Amino acid sequence: MDVSSFVLLSHEQALRRQLDVAANNMANVSTAGYKREQAVFHAYVENATEAQVPDARQTAYVLDYGAVHDIAQGSFQATGNPLDVMIEGPGYLNIEMADGSTGYTRAGFIKVLDSGELATSGGQRLLDENGRPIAIPADQLAQVRITGDGTVMAGTDPVGRLAVTNFDDENLLDARGDGVLTGSGGRTLSAAQTKLRSGGVEASNVEPVSETTHMVEVLRSYQTSQRLSSDLADMRRRAIDRLSKLG
């Protein structure tokens, strides 16, 4: 395989990565709090000092550099549940993972467990500023509300405050599925910095039309790359035929 084929192969791998990311975005278009991803690439330039033609001395390959999150906020999606919350601005709700560590999510579906503790729709307990679950007294279960700064009120009494953690670089967070992320280096926001909106959740910030258009563009680029590969194969075949006739 010659250099041109390697360059085309690296390009096609990059296109496949873009298509995988776009397909994952489309699959999460209805996932509350989901932030669309975008594949990032950089060029790897190889210098060949022995190339006969000066313009051919540098060869650029496409390398996968990972994916970044689009941190733009999604729209408010009313649910009718007064416990559901949407974070306005940066930050993530703190939840307790199965292994006891702390996870983070923007999917603000909140329910009360049989134990009286607040949890996500998936059953993960929500944590307060001190990393502890928030429990509601049994006689106040019908009078629970969450204020704009995250304070959980049971009747007229505060029983805790939802912890909201912000990260300077959200791209260092690792996705764990179901809208849950894990990572370190976060900073818990104070009550004055926390802004929650009750009665709904944050919708995904994926724009289906834009994402579909991007997928079509990727497919067309891949088809073009395949045609170039076919043309190169034809050129090599004709060159071999001509060389064989010279003998």
Side-chain angles (χ1 to χ4, degrees), residues 39-194:
V40 178
F41 305 94
H42 67 87
Y44 172 75
V45 180
E46 184 179 80
N47 294 305
T49 57
E50 298 179 358
Q52 299 297 321
V53 181
D55 290 342
R57 290 176 182 172
Q58 286 191 337
T59 304
Y61 300 91
V62 184
L63 295 182
D64 186 357
Y65 197 68
V68 296
H69 291 95
D70 178 0
I71 61 174
Q73 184 167 297
S75 60
F76 180 75
Q77 188 175 53
T79 61
N81 178 10
L83 290 182
D84 290 343
V85 294
M86 168 182 167
I87 301 174
E88 295 187 319
Y92 295 85
L93 296 172
N94 294 11
I95 60 175
E96 184 181 57
M97 303 293 286
D99 60 1
S101 63
T102 302
Y104 306 96
T105 183
R106 286 183 69 92
F109 292 109
I110 297 179
K111 65 180 181 180
V112 181
L113 299 175
D114 293 338
S115 61
E117 296 168 321
L118 295 184
T120 66
S121 59
Q124 294 127 328
R125 296 189 298 180
L126 288 158
L127 304 176
D128 65 9
E129 300 167 291
N130 299 311
R132 296 191 298 259
I134 300 174
I136 310 299
D139 60 343
Q140 298 289 338
L141 292 178
Q143 304 180 56
V144 183
R145 62 186 178 88
I146 300 174
T147 65
D149 65 0
T151 301
V152 180
M153 304 292 295
T156 58
D157 300 322
V159 294
R161 195 175 78 84
L162 293 173
V164 177
T165 299
N166 185 33
F167 294 85
D168 292 332
D169 188 355
E170 297 191 9
N171 293 311
L172 296 178
L173 295 172
D174 297 319
R176 298 289 293 271
D178 295 329
V180 177
L181 305 171
T182 56
S184 59
R187 174 176 54 88
T188 302
L189 300 181
S190 66
Q193 297 171 316
T194 301

Side-chain angles (χ1 to χ4, degrees), residues 1-10 46 48 56 58-61 232 236:
M1 187 179 291
D2 58 21
V3 172
S4 58
S5 295
F6 279 118
V7 171
L8 285 174
L9 180 59
S10 72
E46 184 179 80
Q58 286 191 337
T59 304
Y61 300 91
L232 287 172
R236 285 192 291 268

